[in-house]
Amino acid sequence: MQKNQPLVSIIMPVYNCEKYLKESIESVISQTYKNWELLIVDDGSRDNSVSIIEAYVKKDSRIRLYKNESEEHGPGVARNCGIELISGKYTYFIDSDDWIEKDLLQDTVSLAEETDADIVPFGYIIEDDGEKIKKPLSPCGNYEFQDFKNIANEIVRGTWSECHELIKSEILQNVRHNKYKTGEDICFQMDLLCNVRKACGIDKEYYHYRVVNNSISHTDKWDDVFMESNIAVWGKERKFLEYCGLNEDSQIMKNTAIERYTWCLYCLCEKRCPLLLTEKNRQIKYIAKMMQIDKFKNKYKCNSYSGMRKIVKLLVKYNLEMVLILVGTLYFKICNKQFR
């Protein structure tokens, strides 16, 4: 092992992932950077995942298995368990059905040490049944806190995410995942960024994100806490924008609010949404109230959009959401396209 290599704590939540787990763990073992600990948190797996992990624990002292024995479950809860166990200068999150390039830790730690960055974000690749879709880092560059105001919109809409960045462990002191199973990654990222003073990105794709049918992010099951989770996400996005020095009058704040709101409308039009029209109407009114969306409709500019996206924004701007719900549901069924 090279001298002066700071320890990296790698957190991997696991739930019923026996099919892909070995590839994920092997990608950590294969790292050219050797000073790491892999903290695997089992979230109640019922398949052969634990046996696979135990075999690795016996072979490599850097790998440790913990079990989430609390009454709450989900990837965010499991990651929180891992955060409580870290001892490294840096922290990295990896999901148990994904894998990483062998030079990820070497490159990110070297840059973090050189620049004293709080986070080092990078790009990723979507692996979807043999198809590879590159997602370059966005925004990409080296940013001090004072730069955040200028790129806040790009950060909120971009690719910075916990599995796509090395994190200085000390800034995780007051940052945890919330209880929701969808949107908790965005909430975590927004909270994390409110503690970041410097970010240095790498223009390379190190992370391989595997699209797995029936996973939490790719399921046909409707989220029963849809309203609460989306309101929570908006609250965290707003908190970050305010941290950047932006207020309700800024176009970026308005853009972010309207984008989050129209995402909710889009979800309510999906074929997996089982709600009756009256319940959709109730939910969107509740979300609008909790987001105080009327504040952001005023003087909201739609000029930067075109086609279906512009139509959606105009319907929202002029309080015609239910027209969008009616037409959008039919459009989605026929075309199966996103009109966000």
Side-chain angles (χ1 to χ4, degrees):
M1 186 182 299
Q2 298 177 10
K3 293 182 179 180
N4 302 320
Q5 282 192 334
L7 179 66
V8 179
S9 297
I10 304 171
I11 298 173
M12 179 189 291
V14 172
Y15 177 73
N16 289 351
C17 200
E18 63 179 358
K19 185 176 180 180
Y20 309 111
L21 186 54
K22 288 183 179 180
E23 185 176 11
S24 185
I25 295 175
E26 288 290 345
S27 74
V28 174
I29 295 174
S30 299
Q31 290 296 296
T32 57
Y33 189 92
K34 300 302 181 184
N35 193 20
W36 49 261
E37 60 176 359
L38 178 56
L39 310 175
I40 303 178
V41 182
D42 178 64
D43 198 32
S45 296
R46 300 173 184 174
D47 62 359
N48 198 40
S49 294
V50 171
S51 296
I52 293 171
I53 299 166
E54 289 174 340
Y56 277 103
V57 170
K58 292 179 180 178
K59 292 189 296 183
D60 195 324
S61 61
R62 297 172 296 176
I63 301 173
R64 298 198 293 277
L65 170 63
Y66 301 90
K67 295 185 178 182
N68 172 24
E69 297 179 344
S70 70
E71 295 182 357
E72 293 186 344
H73 294 276
V77 176
R79 291 188 187 106
N80 286 344
C81 293
I83 292 174
E84 298 297 330
L85 300 165
I86 60 177
S87 54
K89 180 177 180 179
Y90 299 102
T91 298
Y92 178 66
F93 294 94
I94 178 174
D95 286 343
S96 57
D97 47 8
D98 301 330
W99 74 96
I100 54 179
E101 293 290 324
K102 64 181 181 180
D103 53 351
L104 184 156
L105 293 182
Q106 184 65 59
D107 291 354
T108 55
V109 172
S110 295
L111 184 57
E113 288 289 284
E114 176 186 339
T115 62
D116 194 31
D118 292 320
I119 62 170
V120 177
F122 46 83
Y124 65 101
I125 299 173
I126 298 175
E127 303 277 353
D128 188 0
D129 195 23
E131 182 181 7
K132 295 179 181 291
I133 305 171
K134 286 190 174 183
K135 292 290 184 179
L137 179 64
S138 175
C140 186
N142 298 335
Y143 305 104
E144 302 283 352
F145 166 70
Q146 58 266 27
D147 301 318
F148 282 10
K149 184 174 183 178
N150 299 324
I151 60 168
N153 185 60
E154 286 80 6
I155 291 177
V156 172
R157 315 303 322 165
T159 59
W160 293 12
S161 180
E162 61 188 318
C163 288
H164 315 142
E165 61 196 8
L166 183 78
I167 303 167
K168 188 179 291 184
S169 297
E170 65 184 39
I171 72 169
L172 288 171
Q173 184 174 357
N174 299 312
V175 183
R176 293 294 185 273
H177 299 80
N178 65 27
K179 62 182 179 179
Y180 301 113
K181 294 183 179 180
T182 56
E184 50 83 22
D185 54 340
I186 302 175
C187 292
F188 178 85
Q189 185 67 21
M190 294 297 103
D191 277 346
L192 179 71
L193 289 171
C194 288
N195 292 272
V196 169
R197 305 301 297 182
K198 187 174 185 178
C200 293
I202 300 180
D203 187 17
K204 182 177 177 180
E205 294 80 35
Y206 293 95
Y207 192 86
H208 294 263
Y209 170 73
R210 191 196 309 269
V211 176
V212 180
N213 292 331
N214 298 320
S215 67
I216 290 176
S217 57
H218 295 89
T219 180
D220 290 332
K221 185 178 180 181
W222 179 249
D223 185 359
D224 291 334
V225 291
F226 167 77
M227 291 190 299
E228 290 83 354
S229 61
N230 276 281
I231 291 168
V233 170
W234 160 241
K236 297 298 185 180
E237 289 174 332
R238 177 170 183 155
K239 177 184 174 183
F240 168 67
L241 295 176
E242 290 173 344
Y243 174 70
C244 294
L246 300 166
N247 57 34
E248 292 178 355
D249 294 326
S250 72
Q251 193 61 41
I252 292 176
M253 182 78 80
K254 292 175 184 176
N255 286 347
T256 305
I258 297 297
E259 287 290 343
R260 178 56 48 192
Y261 185 58
T262 53
W263 169 255
C264 294
L265 292 168
Y266 163 72
C267 291
L268 288 170
C269 292
E270 284 187 302
K271 61 182 180 180
R272 69 189 177 105
C273 178
L275 306 177
L276 297 176
L277 188 61
T278 52
E279 178 59 19
K280 290 181 179 181
N281 185 34
R282 186 191 74 82
Q283 290 207 8
I284 204 60
K285 284 184 177 179
Y286 180 76
I287 292 171
K289 178 182 177 181
M290 297 305 294
M291 288 183 63
Q292 299 179 307
I293 204 67
D294 286 344
K295 289 183 179 180
F296 304 105
K297 290 181 181 180
N298 185 35
K299 297 182 180 179
Y300 175 71
K301 298 177 182 178
C302 303
N303 297 337
S304 61
Y305 299 98
S306 61
M308 183 59 69
R309 287 168 62 85
K310 186 170 185 176
I311 292 173
V312 169
K313 298 301 188 295
L314 286 170
L315 288 171
V316 169
K317 181 177 177 65
Y318 295 107
N319 302 313
L320 297 171
E321 288 93 331
M322 286 313 297
V323 173
L324 180 59
I325 292 291
L326 286 167
V327 177
T329 301
L330 179 61
Y331 177 82
F332 192 97
K333 286 181 178 179
I334 295 174
C335 301
N336 196 27
K337 293 181 179 179
Q338 180 172 324
F339 57 86
R340 182 183 175 190

